Amino acid sequence: MKLFVYDPFLPEYFFIVISLLALFGLSFAVKGLRVLQKWSGIGLVVVPIIYFYIILAASVVNIPYTDDFNLLETIFNFQHTTGFLPKLKILFEQVNQHRFAFERLVMLLLAGLTGTVNIKVQVLTGNLFLLGILWLLFSALRKQGISWHYFIPVPYIIFNLVYYENALWGIAAIQNTPLIFFALLSAYGLGRSDGRGWLLGFAAALLATFTSGSGMLAWIIGALILILQKRYKPLAGWLITAGLIIVFYFMFSYQVIPSPGDRPWKHPLFNLIFILGFWGNALYLDVPHPLVPAFYPDLVRCVLLGAAMALVFGLWLIRLWRSKNLNWSDWFLWGGMMFMMGTGAMFIISRPIANYLMYGGNIFSRRYMIFGVVLLAVCYVAVIVLVKTIRELSRGVAVLSFSGILLLHFTSYYLSLVNVRKWYEDLVIDSYYWKNFSTFLTTGDHFGDIPFWNHPTRMKNLIANLDSSGLSRFYHSGPFPDHSKVLPQTAAEKEVYGGEFHLTRVLQSDRNNQPLPFLTFTAKDTVQQPGYFVLASPDHTILLPAVPVPHNPANLLRARSYYSQKVAYALFEQKLPKGIFKIWMMYPQANGHWKSVFTGKQVSLKGQQNRNTP
């Protein structure tokens, strides 16, 4: 699997999908190819799922990232606490507005079965819930009597890299993805209109509530479904149990956290646009969006897509109101749209803006794209159901939709695979930063920043506790010695660097839209691709991953490779320590060792150290 980290075989994946699509299309036009229709169609469904999980399995490493440490701390505390009530408080401990009981139960189960919390297993477990989401959508389409052929675009919506942060991050993978599945499962259960369905809806809503704060929307959605179904006795039981659970949620060791900033109604137009953009965030491209006085085209498309899906929601509500022959899939799709849209509304209420969304800035984290992606999938199925009685129109909608979905799918992989690689490389080298400088490459804005708001001892104590208990072996990961020994052990003093090297320094807006010095290291060696940029001063030896740069789209298919020979790494200067650094290139060797070659260049860094910097 690790092979796919270094070469994701993206042109080959594109070729397989396009070939299967061509065979599937030709099978309708050429009678002799009808036998291929079923198998090419199944191939189109299965291939994106397999490729997604291959990339995931190759790219995820058993190394915690930021908030993962918070949950690991509570797992350690749970294991070393006695008494029912203290353990219950730890299990339901508040994190911001959330209670991550489900996430902690998953990690406790992993720890109980294996003695450790393997982040890679945790991530893969969370992403398996995507298959549950996919099955529910397939079942809804089939319940409407629609050919499975119309389902083919759905895997290309769900299994892409638009939301790669959610797919790769331990805590996000077992939070947002199961949350959406539980919410959809709750709507499915209540849509069945029977006692067993009510119990299923209740159990799923309960799990959603203690997976994320927005899971409480499942109770509101469930009540609305029961009201429209005119099932008042089950509604009474639903409201009573929901009330008891919500009372426990807010009364059991809970602290209200006020939302910063203005209220959304202070700038209604801006926040209406904001919520439409959140709903349509499946089109939010994986490119920088610094605040500028001009509209970003992809954000404009997000808003337009959000408006289109709001229209679909309205049409579906009319269908529910007027139709006499409704089945569970009608309620399920409505509940799915409501949950994703409601989550967007909660996001905007907690983080209102006072400007046009399309100007860019610090807008969305990649982990939130999962909500827009699933909303798009639900709305696609809803649209197909709405036009199913008009055969030619339904075919036209499916073909047009699949064209746009496939373009989005391919674009997401092309833009984000390099960031998946960077995520992998950054985490692999994180332990080096911790062991040598008591900081992380992946955390904070400044050199020396650590999780838990730079607490002077909490992180050190936690990692020592995790290591001694076996919950995590983070401290022991990484192939490099003490930073003072890196060059003495790897430097090829007599070897002359024969490749290209460039360093650029520009002002770029950070996530707070403040212009700061931004460094980009680039190199190209046609003989061997380097693994790291090495910045060496008398006080620090800094390793920065040499992440390969993708070929541009024009050369991608011609080169039959995703990555070019060029490597790069970019970061804000304040993330590096102050000093004058000589720049070396480090190469992997066949014997598992490393070789460093001096480029003949050096750089003076101003840095911006904080009080925790060693």
PDB file of all heavy atoms in Angstrom, residues 232-261:
ATOM      1  N   TYR A 232     -48.849  10.625  16.243  1.00  0.00           N
ATOM      2  CA  TYR A 232     -48.742  11.459  17.436  1.00  0.00           C
ATOM      3  C   TYR A 232     -48.346  10.679  18.687  1.00  0.00           C
ATOM      4  O   TYR A 232     -47.686  11.232  19.573  1.00  0.00           O
ATOM      5  CB  TYR A 232     -50.063  12.202  17.648  1.00  0.00           C
ATOM      6  CG  TYR A 232     -50.404  13.094  16.473  1.00  0.00           C
ATOM      7  CD1 TYR A 232     -51.548  12.848  15.702  1.00  0.00           C
ATOM      8  CD2 TYR A 232     -49.566  14.140  16.121  1.00  0.00           C
ATOM      9  CE1 TYR A 232     -51.847  13.652  14.611  1.00  0.00           C
ATOM     10  CE2 TYR A 232     -49.865  14.964  15.026  1.00  0.00           C
ATOM     11  CZ  TYR A 232     -51.000  14.700  14.282  1.00  0.00           C
ATOM     12  OH  TYR A 232     -51.289  15.492  13.199  1.00  0.00           O
ATOM     13  N   LYS A 233     -48.729   9.423  18.776  1.00  0.00           N
ATOM     14  CA  LYS A 233     -48.313   8.638  19.946  1.00  0.00           C
ATOM     15  C   LYS A 233     -46.802   8.399  19.948  1.00  0.00           C
ATOM     16  O   LYS A 233     -46.132   8.645  20.967  1.00  0.00           O
ATOM     17  CB  LYS A 233     -49.073   7.310  19.974  1.00  0.00           C
ATOM     18  CG  LYS A 233     -48.813   6.498  21.239  1.00  0.00           C
ATOM     19  CD  LYS A 233     -49.680   5.245  21.264  1.00  0.00           C
ATOM     20  CE  LYS A 233     -49.406   4.433  22.543  1.00  0.00           C
ATOM     21  NZ  LYS A 233     -50.243   3.204  22.586  1.00  0.00           N
ATOM     22  N   PRO A 234     -46.207   7.923  18.827  1.00  0.00           N
ATOM     23  CA  PRO A 234     -44.741   7.810  18.795  1.00  0.00           C
ATOM     24  C   PRO A 234     -44.060   9.169  18.973  1.00  0.00           C
ATOM     25  O   PRO A 234     -42.973   9.244  19.544  1.00  0.00           O
ATOM     26  CB  PRO A 234     -44.450   7.223  17.413  1.00  0.00           C
ATOM     27  CG  PRO A 234     -45.714   6.541  17.011  1.00  0.00           C
ATOM     28  CD  PRO A 234     -46.813   7.345  17.623  1.00  0.00           C
ATOM     29  N   LEU A 235     -44.720  10.245  18.490  1.00  0.00           N
ATOM     30  CA  LEU A 235     -44.160  11.589  18.647  1.00  0.00           C
ATOM     31  C   LEU A 235     -44.033  11.951  20.117  1.00  0.00           C
ATOM     32  O   LEU A 235     -43.005  12.532  20.535  1.00  0.00           O
ATOM     33  CB  LEU A 235     -45.043  12.604  17.921  1.00  0.00           C
ATOM     34  CG  LEU A 235     -44.682  14.082  18.134  1.00  0.00           C
ATOM     35  CD1 LEU A 235     -43.304  14.391  17.558  1.00  0.00           C
ATOM     36  CD2 LEU A 235     -45.741  14.991  17.498  1.00  0.00           C
ATOM     37  N   ALA A 236     -45.046  11.602  20.915  1.00  0.00           N
ATOM     38  CA  ALA A 236     -45.002  11.922  22.347  1.00  0.00           C
ATOM     39  C   ALA A 236     -43.823  11.220  23.017  1.00  0.00           C
ATOM     40  O   ALA A 236     -43.068  11.832  23.786  1.00  0.00           O
ATOM     41  CB  ALA A 236     -46.316  11.523  23.010  1.00  0.00           C
ATOM     42  N   GLY A 237     -43.632   9.939  22.701  1.00  0.00           N
ATOM     43  CA  GLY A 237     -42.496   9.213  23.260  1.00  0.00           C
ATOM     44  C   GLY A 237     -41.176   9.780  22.797  1.00  0.00           C
ATOM     45  O   GLY A 237     -40.195   9.854  23.560  1.00  0.00           O
ATOM     46  N   TRP A 238     -41.146  10.219  21.539  1.00  0.00           N
ATOM     47  CA  TRP A 238     -39.925  10.816  20.969  1.00  0.00           C
ATOM     48  C   TRP A 238     -39.561  12.108  21.693  1.00  0.00           C
ATOM     49  O   TRP A 238     -38.404  12.321  22.070  1.00  0.00           O
ATOM     50  CB  TRP A 238     -40.152  11.078  19.483  1.00  0.00           C
ATOM     51  CG  TRP A 238     -38.955  11.615  18.739  1.00  0.00           C
ATOM     52  CD1 TRP A 238     -38.653  12.909  18.500  1.00  0.00           C
ATOM     53  CD2 TRP A 238     -37.913  10.839  18.144  1.00  0.00           C
ATOM     54  NE1 TRP A 238     -37.496  13.014  17.787  1.00  0.00           N
ATOM     55  CE2 TRP A 238     -37.016  11.752  17.549  1.00  0.00           C
ATOM     56  CE3 TRP A 238     -37.652   9.476  18.047  1.00  0.00           C
ATOM     57  CZ2 TRP A 238     -35.868  11.342  16.860  1.00  0.00           C
ATOM     58  CZ3 TRP A 238     -36.506   9.061  17.360  1.00  0.00           C
ATOM     59  CH2 TRP A 238     -35.637   9.985  16.789  1.00  0.00           C
ATOM     60  N   LEU A 239     -40.556  12.967  21.923  1.00  0.00           N
ATOM     61  CA  LEU A 239     -40.304  14.257  22.573  1.00  0.00           C
ATOM     62  C   LEU A 239     -39.885  14.078  24.026  1.00  0.00           C
ATOM     63  O   LEU A 239     -39.001  14.800  24.525  1.00  0.00           O
ATOM     64  CB  LEU A 239     -41.547  15.139  22.481  1.00  0.00           C
ATOM     65  CG  LEU A 239     -41.936  15.611  21.071  1.00  0.00           C
ATOM     66  CD1 LEU A 239     -43.247  16.401  21.120  1.00  0.00           C
ATOM     67  CD2 LEU A 239     -40.829  16.473  20.460  1.00  0.00           C
ATOM     68  N   ILE A 240     -40.494  13.113  24.710  1.00  0.00           N
ATOM     69  CA  ILE A 240     -40.139  12.883  26.121  1.00  0.00           C
ATOM     70  C   ILE A 240     -38.700  12.387  26.239  1.00  0.00           C
ATOM     71  O   ILE A 240     -37.901  12.911  27.037  1.00  0.00           O
ATOM     72  CB  ILE A 240     -41.114  11.874  26.762  1.00  0.00           C
ATOM     73  CG1 ILE A 240     -42.505  12.514  26.899  1.00  0.00           C
ATOM     74  CG2 ILE A 240     -40.605  11.423  28.126  1.00  0.00           C
ATOM     75  CD1 ILE A 240     -43.594  11.522  27.288  1.00  0.00           C
ATOM     76  N   THR A 241     -38.344  11.394  25.437  1.00  0.00           N
ATOM     77  CA  THR A 241     -36.975  10.859  25.512  1.00  0.00           C
ATOM     78  C   THR A 241     -35.957  11.891  25.038  1.00  0.00           C
ATOM     79  O   THR A 241     -34.871  12.016  25.621  1.00  0.00           O
ATOM     80  CB  THR A 241     -36.842   9.581  24.664  1.00  0.00           C
ATOM     81  OG1 THR A 241     -37.339   9.826  23.336  1.00  0.00           O
ATOM     82  CG2 THR A 241     -37.628   8.450  25.278  1.00  0.00           C
ATOM     83  N   ALA A 242     -36.309  12.645  24.000  1.00  0.00           N
ATOM     84  CA  ALA A 242     -35.404  13.701  23.519  1.00  0.00           C
ATOM     85  C   ALA A 242     -35.168  14.737  24.612  1.00  0.00           C
ATOM     86  O   ALA A 242     -34.036  15.198  24.828  1.00  0.00           O
ATOM     87  CB  ALA A 242     -35.979  14.364  22.271  1.00  0.00           C
ATOM     88  N   GLY A 243     -36.260  15.108  25.317  1.00  0.00           N
ATOM     89  CA  GLY A 243     -36.132  16.088  26.403  1.00  0.00           C
ATOM     90  C   GLY A 243     -35.216  15.606  27.510  1.00  0.00           C
ATOM     91  O   GLY A 243     -34.360  16.354  28.010  1.00  0.00           O
ATOM     92  N   LEU A 244     -35.360  14.332  27.894  1.00  0.00           N
ATOM     93  CA  LEU A 244     -34.507  13.778  28.947  1.00  0.00           C
ATOM     94  C   LEU A 244     -33.041  13.767  28.535  1.00  0.00           C
ATOM     95  O   LEU A 244     -32.146  14.095  29.326  1.00  0.00           O
ATOM     96  CB  LEU A 244     -34.972  12.363  29.290  1.00  0.00           C
ATOM     97  CG  LEU A 244     -36.343  12.244  29.962  1.00  0.00           C
ATOM     98  CD1 LEU A 244     -36.758  10.785  30.092  1.00  0.00           C
ATOM     99  CD2 LEU A 244     -36.320  12.916  31.344  1.00  0.00           C
ATOM    100  N   ILE A 245     -32.780  13.397  27.284  1.00  0.00           N
ATOM    101  CA  ILE A 245     -31.393  13.327  26.806  1.00  0.00           C
ATOM    102  C   ILE A 245     -30.783  14.719  26.709  1.00  0.00           C
ATOM    103  O   ILE A 245     -29.621  14.933  27.094  1.00  0.00           O
ATOM    104  CB  ILE A 245     -31.352  12.599  25.446  1.00  0.00           C
ATOM    105  CG1 ILE A 245     -31.658  11.114  25.664  1.00  0.00           C
ATOM    106  CG2 ILE A 245     -30.002  12.778  24.760  1.00  0.00           C
ATOM    107  CD1 ILE A 245     -32.005  10.370  24.417  1.00  0.00           C
ATOM    108  N   ILE A 246     -31.545  15.685  26.237  1.00  0.00           N
ATOM    109  CA  ILE A 246     -31.025  17.048  26.113  1.00  0.00           C
ATOM    110  C   ILE A 246     -30.796  17.669  27.488  1.00  0.00           C
ATOM    111  O   ILE A 246     -29.825  18.411  27.697  1.00  0.00           O
ATOM    112  CB  ILE A 246     -31.973  17.894  25.239  1.00  0.00           C
ATOM    113  CG1 ILE A 246     -31.926  17.382  23.789  1.00  0.00           C
ATOM    114  CG2 ILE A 246     -31.599  19.372  25.300  1.00  0.00           C
ATOM    115  CD1 ILE A 246     -32.953  17.993  22.878  1.00  0.00           C
ATOM    116  N   VAL A 247     -31.674  17.356  28.451  1.00  0.00           N
ATOM    117  CA  VAL A 247     -31.453  17.827  29.820  1.00  0.00           C
ATOM    118  C   VAL A 247     -30.142  17.270  30.362  1.00  0.00           C
ATOM    119  O   VAL A 247     -29.329  17.986  30.957  1.00  0.00           O
ATOM    120  CB  VAL A 247     -32.639  17.433  30.731  1.00  0.00           C
ATOM    121  CG1 VAL A 247     -32.271  17.618  32.203  1.00  0.00           C
ATOM    122  CG2 VAL A 247     -33.857  18.280  30.396  1.00  0.00           C
ATOM    123  N   PHE A 248     -29.903  15.971  30.138  1.00  0.00           N
ATOM    124  CA  PHE A 248     -28.638  15.367  30.582  1.00  0.00           C
ATOM    125  C   PHE A 248     -27.457  16.034  29.884  1.00  0.00           C
ATOM    126  O   PHE A 248     -26.428  16.329  30.515  1.00  0.00           O
ATOM    127  CB  PHE A 248     -28.642  13.867  30.271  1.00  0.00           C
ATOM    128  CG  PHE A 248     -27.310  13.209  30.494  1.00  0.00           C
ATOM    129  CD1 PHE A 248     -26.911  12.839  31.769  1.00  0.00           C
ATOM    130  CD2 PHE A 248     -26.444  12.978  29.429  1.00  0.00           C
ATOM    131  CE1 PHE A 248     -25.666  12.238  31.982  1.00  0.00           C
ATOM    132  CE2 PHE A 248     -25.208  12.390  29.632  1.00  0.00           C
ATOM    133  CZ  PHE A 248     -24.823  12.014  30.919  1.00  0.00           C
ATOM    134  N   TYR A 249     -27.609  16.303  28.598  1.00  0.00           N
ATOM    135  CA  TYR A 249     -26.523  16.890  27.807  1.00  0.00           C
ATOM    136  C   TYR A 249     -26.072  18.224  28.397  1.00  0.00           C
ATOM    137  O   TYR A 249     -24.867  18.483  28.540  1.00  0.00           O
ATOM    138  CB  TYR A 249     -26.997  17.078  26.359  1.00  0.00           C
ATOM    139  CG  TYR A 249     -25.902  17.410  25.370  1.00  0.00           C
ATOM    140  CD1 TYR A 249     -25.371  16.415  24.564  1.00  0.00           C
ATOM    141  CD2 TYR A 249     -25.401  18.709  25.237  1.00  0.00           C
ATOM    142  CE1 TYR A 249     -24.368  16.706  23.640  1.00  0.00           C
ATOM    143  CE2 TYR A 249     -24.408  19.002  24.330  1.00  0.00           C
ATOM    144  CZ  TYR A 249     -23.885  17.999  23.535  1.00  0.00           C
ATOM    145  OH  TYR A 249     -22.888  18.289  22.635  1.00  0.00           O
ATOM    146  N   PHE A 250     -27.049  19.069  28.759  1.00  0.00           N
ATOM    147  CA  PHE A 250     -26.707  20.426  29.193  1.00  0.00           C
ATOM    148  C   PHE A 250     -26.608  20.581  30.708  1.00  0.00           C
ATOM    149  O   PHE A 250     -26.089  21.597  31.183  1.00  0.00           O
ATOM    150  CB  PHE A 250     -27.740  21.424  28.647  1.00  0.00           C
ATOM    151  CG  PHE A 250     -27.623  21.649  27.170  1.00  0.00           C
ATOM    152  CD1 PHE A 250     -28.577  21.157  26.290  1.00  0.00           C
ATOM    153  CD2 PHE A 250     -26.546  22.352  26.651  1.00  0.00           C
ATOM    154  CE1 PHE A 250     -28.465  21.361  24.917  1.00  0.00           C
ATOM    155  CE2 PHE A 250     -26.426  22.564  25.286  1.00  0.00           C
ATOM    156  CZ  PHE A 250     -27.384  22.064  24.412  1.00  0.00           C
ATOM    157  N   MET A 251     -27.070  19.602  31.459  1.00  0.00           N
ATOM    158  CA  MET A 251     -27.053  19.737  32.919  1.00  0.00           C
ATOM    159  C   MET A 251     -25.953  18.918  33.589  1.00  0.00           C
ATOM    160  O   MET A 251     -25.579  19.188  34.727  1.00  0.00           O
ATOM    161  CB  MET A 251     -28.411  19.323  33.506  1.00  0.00           C
ATOM    162  CG  MET A 251     -29.578  20.178  33.013  1.00  0.00           C
ATOM    163  SD  MET A 251     -29.396  21.937  33.421  1.00  0.00           S
ATOM    164  CE  MET A 251     -29.558  21.879  35.209  1.00  0.00           C
ATOM    165  N   PHE A 252     -25.410  17.912  32.903  1.00  0.00           N
ATOM    166  CA  PHE A 252     -24.406  17.049  33.506  1.00  0.00           C
ATOM    167  C   PHE A 252     -23.014  17.624  33.242  1.00  0.00           C
ATOM    168  O   PHE A 252     -22.425  17.400  32.194  1.00  0.00           O
ATOM    169  CB  PHE A 252     -24.513  15.629  32.952  1.00  0.00           C
ATOM    170  CG  PHE A 252     -23.536  14.659  33.560  1.00  0.00           C
ATOM    171  CD1 PHE A 252     -23.690  14.229  34.872  1.00  0.00           C
ATOM    172  CD2 PHE A 252     -22.458  14.185  32.834  1.00  0.00           C
ATOM    173  CE1 PHE A 252     -22.791  13.334  35.433  1.00  0.00           C
ATOM    174  CE2 PHE A 252     -21.561  13.292  33.378  1.00  0.00           C
ATOM    175  CZ  PHE A 252     -21.730  12.873  34.690  1.00  0.00           C
ATOM    176  N   SER A 253     -22.516  18.414  34.184  1.00  0.00           N
ATOM    177  CA  SER A 253     -21.145  18.944  34.103  1.00  0.00           C
ATOM    178  C   SER A 253     -20.896  19.642  32.776  1.00  0.00           C
ATOM    179  O   SER A 253     -19.953  19.347  32.044  1.00  0.00           O
ATOM    180  CB  SER A 253     -20.133  17.817  34.299  1.00  0.00           C
ATOM    181  OG  SER A 253     -18.828  18.305  34.417  1.00  0.00           O
ATOM    182  N   TYR A 254     -21.788  20.608  32.454  1.00  0.00           N
ATOM    183  CA  TYR A 254     -21.689  21.326  31.175  1.00  0.00           C
ATOM    184  C   TYR A 254     -21.467  22.813  31.434  1.00  0.00           C
ATOM    185  O   TYR A 254     -22.056  23.386  32.348  1.00  0.00           O
ATOM    186  CB  TYR A 254     -22.962  21.136  30.346  1.00  0.00           C
ATOM    187  CG  TYR A 254     -22.879  21.712  28.945  1.00  0.00           C
ATOM    188  CD1 TYR A 254     -22.389  20.939  27.896  1.00  0.00           C
ATOM    189  CD2 TYR A 254     -23.303  23.011  28.677  1.00  0.00           C
ATOM    190  CE1 TYR A 254     -22.328  21.446  26.608  1.00  0.00           C
ATOM    191  CE2 TYR A 254     -23.226  23.521  27.386  1.00  0.00           C
ATOM    192  CZ  TYR A 254     -22.738  22.744  26.354  1.00  0.00           C
ATOM    193  OH  TYR A 254     -22.664  23.252  25.089  1.00  0.00           O
ATOM    194  N   GLN A 255     -20.625  23.426  30.638  1.00  0.00           N
ATOM    195  CA  GLN A 255     -20.371  24.858  30.737  1.00  0.00           C
ATOM    196  C   GLN A 255     -20.717  25.514  29.407  1.00  0.00           C
ATOM    197  O   GLN A 255     -20.223  25.101  28.354  1.00  0.00           O
ATOM    198  CB  GLN A 255     -18.902  25.132  31.082  1.00  0.00           C
ATOM    199  CG  GLN A 255     -18.578  26.612  31.239  1.00  0.00           C
ATOM    200  CD  GLN A 255     -17.114  26.851  31.590  1.00  0.00           C
ATOM    201  OE1 GLN A 255     -16.359  25.899  31.772  1.00  0.00           O
ATOM    202  NE2 GLN A 255     -16.724  28.102  31.677  1.00  0.00           N
ATOM    203  N   VAL A 256     -21.577  26.517  29.453  1.00  0.00           N
ATOM    204  CA  VAL A 256     -21.978  27.218  28.232  1.00  0.00           C
ATOM    205  C   VAL A 256     -20.815  28.056  27.731  1.00  0.00           C
ATOM    206  O   VAL A 256     -20.219  28.833  28.490  1.00  0.00           O
ATOM    207  CB  VAL A 256     -23.214  28.107  28.485  1.00  0.00           C
ATOM    208  CG1 VAL A 256     -23.560  28.900  27.232  1.00  0.00           C
ATOM    209  CG2 VAL A 256     -24.391  27.252  28.934  1.00  0.00           C
ATOM    210  N   ILE A 257     -20.486  27.882  26.457  1.00  0.00           N
ATOM    211  CA  ILE A 257     -19.389  28.642  25.834  1.00  0.00           C
ATOM    212  C   ILE A 257     -20.007  29.667  24.904  1.00  0.00           C
ATOM    213  O   ILE A 257     -20.633  29.309  23.905  1.00  0.00           O
ATOM    214  CB  ILE A 257     -18.447  27.712  25.060  1.00  0.00           C
ATOM    215  CG1 ILE A 257     -17.852  26.670  26.012  1.00  0.00           C
ATOM    216  CG2 ILE A 257     -17.348  28.504  24.371  1.00  0.00           C
ATOM    217  CD1 ILE A 257     -17.010  25.627  25.322  1.00  0.00           C
ATOM    218  N   PRO A 258     -19.858  30.957  25.210  1.00  0.00           N
ATOM    219  CA  PRO A 258     -20.464  31.979  24.346  1.00  0.00           C
ATOM    220  C   PRO A 258     -19.804  32.016  22.980  1.00  0.00           C
ATOM    221  O   PRO A 258     -18.603  31.769  22.844  1.00  0.00           O
ATOM    222  CB  PRO A 258     -20.210  33.284  25.121  1.00  0.00           C
ATOM    223  CG  PRO A 258     -19.035  32.996  25.998  1.00  0.00           C
ATOM    224  CD  PRO A 258     -19.135  31.546  26.351  1.00  0.00           C
ATOM    225  N   SER A 259     -20.613  32.282  21.971  1.00  0.00           N
ATOM    226  CA  SER A 259     -20.102  32.365  20.601  1.00  0.00           C
ATOM    227  C   SER A 259     -19.501  33.744  20.361  1.00  0.00           C
ATOM    228  O   SER A 259     -20.138  34.765  20.635  1.00  0.00           O
ATOM    229  CB  SER A 259     -21.239  32.117  19.605  1.00  0.00           C
ATOM    230  OG  SER A 259     -20.775  32.265  18.284  1.00  0.00           O
ATOM    231  N   PRO A 260     -18.256  33.805  19.858  1.00  0.00           N
ATOM    232  CA  PRO A 260     -17.642  35.113  19.603  1.00  0.00           C
ATOM    233  C   PRO A 260     -18.239  35.773  18.365  1.00  0.00           C
ATOM    234  O   PRO A 260     -18.857  35.130  17.521  1.00  0.00           O
ATOM    235  CB  PRO A 260     -16.168  34.750  19.366  1.00  0.00           C
ATOM    236  CG  PRO A 260     -16.216  33.358  18.818  1.00  0.00           C
ATOM    237  CD  PRO A 260     -17.384  32.693  19.488  1.00  0.00           C
ATOM    238  N   GLY A 261     -18.028  37.065  18.251  1.00  0.00           N
ATOM    239  CA  GLY A 261     -18.455  37.787  17.058  1.00  0.00           C
ATOM    240  C   GLY A 261     -19.893  38.250  17.109  1.00  0.00           C
ATOM    241  O   GLY A 261     -20.618  38.054  18.085  1.00  0.00           O
TER     242      GLY A 261
END
